Amino acid sequence: MADGFIEKRQQDYEARKEAYLRKKKHLPANRRKPAIGRPDDEAL
């Protein structure tokens, strides 16, 4: 009985993980933080 419980939990986890990764790939790339560049005047 315990083996069936563990196998079911593992299958549920893998299904949730796959759904999460599939959803994560569809996020737009512009949500990343913008890179901080040098100012035009380095005296600032």
Side-chain angles (χ1 to χ4, degrees):
M1 182 174 147
D3 291 336
F5 177 78
I6 293 172
E7 290 173 1
K8 175 66 174 151
R9 290 290 181 171
Q10 184 67 25
Q11 290 172 354
D12 291 345
Y13 165 76
E14 289 175 3
R16 287 193 315 270
K17 182 180 175 183
E18 183 179 340
Y20 166 76
L21 291 175
R22 197 176 325 119
K23 182 179 176 184
K24 182 180 172 184
K25 288 182 182 180
H26 294 293
L27 289 177
N30 62 0
R31 291 183 54 106
R32 296 181 191 149
K33 290 183 180 180
I36 299 174
R38 280 192 179 173
D40 294 333
D41 184 9
E42 292 186 9
L44 294 176

